[in-house]
Amino acid sequence: MANANGAPTRTTTLPNGLTVLTREMHHAPLATFWVWYRVGARNEVPGITGISHWVEHMLFKGTPTLAAGEIFRRVNSNGGTLNGFTWLDYTAYYETLPADRLDLALAIESDRMINARFDPDEVASERTVIISEKQGGENHPTTHLREATAAAAFRIHPYRQGVIGYLSDLQAITRDDLYRHYQTYYRPNNAVVVAVGDFRTDELLAKIEAAFGPLPAGGAIPTVRPVEPPQEGEHRVVVRRPGPLPHFLVGYHTPAVASPDAFPLLVLDTVLGGAGAMGFSGGASLGRSSRLYRALVETGLASGASSSYALTRDPYLFSISVALRPQVALAEVERVVFAEIDRLRDEPVPEEELARALKGIRAQFAYASEGVTNVAYWLGSLETIHTHTLYDEFMDRLAAVTAADLQRVARQYLGVENRTVGHFAPSDAAPSGAQGATSDERAALWLPDGRQWLTGGARGAECGVRDDEGEATPTASSALTPVPFTFADTTGVAPIPNPQSAIRNPQSFQRQALDNGIVVLGSERPESPAVALRARLRAGAIHDTAETEGLARLTAAMLQHGTERYSFAELNDLTDALGASLGADAGRMAVELSVRCLVEDFDRMVGILAEVVRRPTFPPEELEKVRGQTLAAILRGEQDTRTVAERALREAAYPAGHPYARSVVGTQGSVAGLDRAALQAFHARHYRPDLLSFAVVGGVGFDAAVAAIAREFGDWRAEGAAPAFDIPPAAPPDEARRVERTLAGKTQADIALGLPAIGRADPDYYALDMANLILGRLGLYGRLGKTVREEQGLAYYAYSLLEGGKGPGAWGARAGVAPANVERAIASIVAEVRRLRDEPVDEDELADARDFLTGSLPLALEGADGVARTLLEIESHDLGLDYLDRYPGIIRALTREQLQEAARRHLLPDRLAIAVAGPGPDGAEPAS
């Protein structure tokens, strides 16, 4: 396959054994630097399970020359981003920075490779953080199912243990255990350095040799000796505990990445579950023409179904996961799944279906290879488990797969004797925590910041919903691929507004209005083989009423379920055959429509998008399916502590009847009462060209993009004036309010506190946004992270957010803690809010915030979809195409006094609404 992502990868081995991979990419002034260590759950034994992940946390605690918190501060103040994560086979750390600041990453990583401090007090504090992280995962019943099924599938191999570790081990591991593990595995001869970006290789290699060359190689790395014996009969496990709905999971032993059968299994995975997102980020949602989707979701048996084949160093599992609908029996779902497996074993996959699968993988590979961070991730992960050369060989290897290969591997590996079956059966009808909660359980396959994992992610067949803040949550799976645990959980942390989605030359943003009111924005990337198209239609849940709560969301969800020209199945066939994704989802203010496709398919996808937006038919039988999926998602959300806390907070913070107090997805009662006529009327009234904006970013020229959109949408005409809507004001509560929600079967409590604040147009917006950045976002969650997580060890995550949309958007803070630590965490958060009001921020904090907000502008080049989102934000708030030119001046002009005054006006600690959802104060043992 031709190399579309920079110069060839260059491999260098230093005398101390360090492997260095470098690859130049000059399309953006960015570079990323990774260090991968060949150590993960695979290298652990009972008694110290979870130790690799814990060591990863400790490497952010500093060195003799880097104080705790300094790593995050330095990278952020230089406009960069960073994190670390641990998986079965490896631990990795990365920094992505403006290219001229890459030396900072070399200094950090070479220092902490051998000089990390394991201060006993820091170890003690981090113990409670990690236990909190584990308990947060255990709040989801599918986590217990995944862990139990993996343990039943593996008898002796360490893969049976997962990544996070057993609670008893986490309570017993000592500082000396951690330091010994670090000294054993964190050495140049067990590491891979990967650098990708805008640099000159010879110059960078000289710097890498100077930074890492003097480090001692270290001793021999202990061999992982256990080899899993062949399974000689079906294994079964049943998990019974409180939970909303049953879940089905099955895993088959399959070979490692080095096997010649790995690529046929990847294609088989795609045939079964659809072409799933790959890599670090940038994937699309495909798979509605897959066999699992058609057999389980289209028939109404499941709200989601997925398959997963992970590339691992040792043999692991091919898994299938199904989230059941209410009143559906596990036995029936199991029968259908195994019938699909038998069909793969008994019948060759038709050539047309094989071609569709290969096109889907090709497209996902292109989406997941966009940007320096994605490419570095691919190179490092593949080199750590096998060889990085697979990256450039990937598509050629897949193209060589035949239908006969698929049938052969299905027969060889997907047999009864080779499988482990897991059932999650709710032990009772657990009480609902909050009527109308809006998101499903977060699937175990997804990273805490929302990214899907390499090729082990759930494949397609998802029916996701978003929470009230618009965060996407998958509903399909808890497949057996373990979660890669990150150092910082950024779930729900609002992205830095605007600057992170800038490009090198803001003047390359273009805008054109059609005569029917449609606005088209764009940014060309000639080197890209793919395109990201986003459209925003002002037809969101703000138009719902108390009686029609969820109408906007249900209308958007139905757009793809049948049009005047295409049935739902035909649309799925079309998009999957093109390797393209098409999504529509309503948020509070607008419907967001998204398309990812290859350049060659752009015109065709614009035509399909026009059919979906302009001519949906809302077939009654499809409406009942989507209604059932939505009701299942609401039911699951009612047992998710984060979702329950968010919902309760909105009801407590906003006046009764205010649109911001309502659920975007609706309640069980409201969704059950919506009929086809209501959807048709909503569409007729609110879907109009004069409310529609497009943003196109990628390898298609702007003029060509405008022409394609004009062909399909240019004759659309609006009738009458656009529906007006006013967002009523919302004052904070007169006094503090507190709401408690108790949920059975949980081990961690989620805290949500906040109040109505200001919108984007308010003169205080920029000052309050920067104050909030310092309070709960900068570095590792700002002041809240330092106090609640780092100093007291109360929570895995603690952060603040400012919505900043239209009208009185919310300000809030969030934390996940052990039940016994709820009061301390709330008190600490409120104390930090008071300090922000009472004292001006430090000059150093102000400088760091300014540097981060302005220095991070180039990071937008990491993804076309991020640029498209930014263009729509610029248009939605009438900021002007020169906004990114003006933005640094706006930020540099802010003063300490302005930040303090904005905090005094809008952050009112005595009038906060506070919601806590969890097992109650006596529901679990404290974390420390």
Side-chain angles (χ1 to χ4, degrees), residues 453-467:
W453 195 245
L454 191 55
T455 52
R459 297 285 182 180
E462 295 171 355
C463 305
V465 297
R466 296 187 309 177
D467 64 22

Side-chain angles (χ1 to χ4, degrees), residues 576-714:
D576 281 0
L578 298 175
S581 70
L582 172 61
D585 198 5
R588 198 168 294 281
M589 300 304 303
V591 174
E592 197 86 0
L593 303 140
S594 60
V595 170
R596 292 301 304 271
C597 66
L598 300 177
V599 172
E600 65 208 53
D601 302 315
F602 178 74
D603 286 4
R604 186 73 184 279
M605 285 305 300
V606 172
I608 293 172
L609 179 63
E611 182 72 14
V612 164
V613 172
R614 297 180 60 180
R615 293 177 283 275
T617 55
F618 307 106
E621 67 278 7
E622 291 295 326
L623 175 57
E624 293 314 308
K625 291 178 187 176
V626 175
R627 188 199 312 278
Q629 293 162 3
T630 303
L631 292 172
I634 291 172
L635 184 59
R636 287 190 174 90
E638 290 172 354
Q639 285 299 304
D640 178 87
T641 52
R642 284 199 193 187
T643 302
V644 169
E646 293 283 349
R647 180 74 171 120
L649 173 64
R650 284 195 172 273
E651 292 177 342
Y654 284 92
H658 194 281
Y660 284 6
R662 292 196 290 266
S663 164
V664 172
V665 78
T667 67
Q668 292 194 47
S670 67
V671 170
L674 297 173
D675 60 17
R676 181 172 182 249
L679 273 64
Q680 290 173 318
F682 187 91
H683 181 270
R685 179 170 174 76
H686 297 289
Y687 281 61
R688 307 163 47 101
D690 51 347
L691 301 177
L692 181 60
S693 299
F694 289 91
V696 183
V697 181
V700 66
F702 181 67
D703 291 342
V706 172
I709 291 169
R711 277 194 302 271
E712 301 295 344
F713 290 88

